[in-house]
Amino acid sequence: MNNPTDFSQYISNFLLKYLPNEMGISRNTLLSYKDTFLLLLNFMEKEKHILQIPAV
């Protein structure tokens, strides 16, 4: 990854393109994946000091 936005772009593409279009997952499953990634990113930032998440 060349810059901090690469990771967010990969996650966005995974959630918005790959999962619904290629895998045909339901909306509820997609929301669960989104929540899981948010929990992971918050943990990485707060406990491991690995990255900073920009405020939405």
Side-chain angles (χ1 to χ4, degrees):
M1 288 186 245
N2 295 331
N3 62 54
T5 61
D6 286 345
F7 184 70
S8 63
Q9 186 64 44
Y10 292 132
I11 296 296
S12 294
N13 286 338
F14 179 73
L15 291 172
L16 300 175
K17 295 179 183 176
Y18 178 74
L19 288 177
N21 298 326
E22 299 294 326
M23 300 302 293
I25 65 167
S26 72
R27 182 171 173 2
N28 288 337
T29 302
L30 180 62
L31 292 173
S32 293
Y33 271 74
K34 182 190 118 194
D35 289 343
T36 300
F37 277 114
L38 289 174
L39 289 170
L40 174 64
L41 294 173
N42 282 323
F43 171 79
M44 289 170 54
E45 179 185 29
K46 291 178 181 163
E47 301 296 326
K48 301 298 181 179
H49 308 290
I50 293 177
L51 63 104
Q52 292 181 343
I53 301 171
V56 177

